[in-house]
Amino acid sequence: MYLIISVNGIKLKEKPQAFYRAFVEASPGKEIHFDLIRNGIIQHLVLVLEKSNLTHLSWTYLGLPIKSSVNKTVWTLYIPWLLLQLLFLAVGAFIGWFKLKDQIPFQCALLFLCSGTAIFLIDTPFLASWPSWALAVVLSFQNLTSGLVLPLALRLLSIFPNRTRLGKTLWKWQWITFLFFSLYFFSESVDDLGGVFGWKSNGLVANLLVRVFANIDQWLVLIFFGLAGLLLMAQRIETKYRPQMRLRIIESGFLLGILGLAIFFVIRPVLFGLIPESWRLSYGFSMLFLTLVLFSATPLSFTYAILVRKVFGIRFII
């Protein structure tokens, strides 16, 4: 056993991110210098990188062997998320362009634009190789937009597709949801910026932050599930005798999107440990694409309701 204590002269205890960035910024022929402790003795190691001749990847999906090029494999994983973020951004921009001054369409546009931006930023190609300051800006803005998505969704559900007494109450106290969900932005930003600039430590303050904000994203998602479910139930109960069929498609889109969140944040990680190791890759890909399909249902349902059912009175597309 050995312990790496520094990379290229930078002590990992002071800047742990130096290990990762040394490989991200490396190129063929470049040397990476390590200081490590082995059997109580400090040794120096020089690693010289060589150009890889790897042209294809071999993996198994649903028991079937698959061989594809590295680029094809990467784009197979990236393109579906790219299409999803473009869908969110397109629908949000479309609604906002035509109905910017109307309250409900504006809330829809804001929700979709934040969702598309959050997905786009986290999937930016070669993000880890960017300069530290640029990486910090992108990660902070991504955390901000991600933190706004769920409270904006609750804000929209409180007045749309149908107004309810519970929705009026949530609308009145919506600032509490934004304040509470801002904890996500704070905790994720502290964690990400700590990884970029090496702020992490084993001090009392760091340990306190870890305890307070551990698994906060799972808790926030569960709270969102509860509030969103109550709002949708209230809408269904209070509109039972005055149904608006053109809005049912939007309710279904919301439900499918919420189900996608449940699969991604709750069901997927829970079941992963129960899946045999030989099937985990297939399971991961299957759950990934299932989540994408369910996420896409929300903007697609709005598109259908707007263009076919004329929910917002928009009659054409430029």
Side-chain angles (χ1 to χ4, degrees), residues 167-187:
K168 291 180 181 179
T169 302
L170 183 62
W171 181 269
K172 180 180 179 180
W173 298 97
Q174 60 179 293
W175 63 271
I176 297 179
T177 62
F178 279 91
L179 179 63
F180 191 71
F181 279 85
S182 65
L183 293 175
Y184 172 84
F185 164 67
F186 176 76
S187 62

Side-chain angles (χ1 to χ4, degrees), residues 84-153:
L84 177 63
Q85 64 205 21
L86 290 177
L87 179 61
F88 272 106
L89 291 171
V91 174
F94 173 68
I95 298 174
W97 177 265
F98 286 100
K99 292 290 181 177
L100 185 61
K101 295 182 180 181
D102 293 349
Q103 183 188 51
I104 293 178
F106 177 75
Q107 299 300 328
C108 294
L110 196 60
L111 172 62
F112 288 135
L113 289 174
C114 275
S115 301
T117 302
I119 299 172
F120 173 78
L121 290 177
I122 201 61
D123 284 330
T124 303
F126 309 109
L127 181 60
S129 63
W130 289 21
S132 296
W133 67 268
L135 182 59
V137 171
V138 171
L139 291 177
S140 298
F141 194 63
Q142 192 274 331
N143 288 327
L144 175 61
T145 52
S146 297
L148 287 174
V149 168
L150 296 186
L152 284 175

